[in-house]
Amino acid sequence: MFRICVVVSMLTFTLGALADTREDKVAKAIKDMQSDVPKTRANAAEEVGKIAAIKASYGKPAIEPMLKLLKDKEEIVRAAAVEALAKVDEPKQVVKPLIEVVKDDKAERVRIAAANGLGLMGESAREGVNVLRETAQQARKDMKTQLAQACQRALQNINAGRKGK
């Protein structure tokens, strides 16, 4: 019985330490998002995305800094920010900016990442349905197959949640 208590105590301590570590990593990533080096900014957003994929609430402090990264001049940074924002799962703050990225970003890769992110969010992203449809149609006309497919998958994921209601 004593051993079980010791093991449980050790596990509890270890899990608590991991939580602190994740929060510390997010805090460091937020600082790194202000770096002059594009790769550092992109890596910081990716790190938040990895942490948020484990537990969305850990990434919430980084939402505002990542929203700023959507305006970054570097494609790699914008793409990383879009992917991470979708994992934080905070629709009220994230859906509209991702819709704008699908609609307006110059880089196809970033637009694809935004469409995929909206798809990950499912029914929470339903206000993006019209933009995704229009973008998919235009992408097909422009022979941008990957963008059209990403928009189509996002639409399927968003609509899948509505069928049960």
Side-chain angles (χ1 to χ4, degrees), residues 118-139:
L118 291 169
L120 279 175
M121 298 175 86
E123 190 180 351
S124 301
R126 67 184 164 275
E127 68 184 273
V129 166
N130 289 336
V131 168
L132 288 164
R133 274 193 196 120
E134 292 167 10
T135 302
Q137 288 174 340
Q138 188 61 49

Side-chain angles (χ1 to χ4, degrees), residues 17 23 32 41 44 48 51 65 72 74 84 87 89 94-95 99 123 127 138 144-145 152-153 160-161:
E23 290 168 353
D32 286 348
R41 295 192 303 273
V48 172
I51 292 168
D72 199 282
E74 299 294 331
K87 293 174 184 169
D89 193 26
V94 173
V95 170
I99 291 169
E123 190 180 351
E127 68 184 273
Q138 188 61 49
K144 294 181 179 180
T145 308
Q152 206 57 45
R153 280 191 307 272

Side-chain angles (χ1 to χ4, degrees), residues 68-98:
K68 290 177 184 172
L69 292 181
L70 296 180
K71 304 289 185 203
D72 199 282
K73 64 181 179 178
E74 299 294 331
E75 175 182 330
I76 187 174
V77 176
R78 295 192 313 275
V82 163
E83 290 173 13
L85 282 165
K87 293 174 184 169
V88 175
D89 193 26
E90 193 61 38
K92 289 181 181 175
Q93 286 181 277
V94 173
V95 170
K96 285 183 183 178
L98 292 185

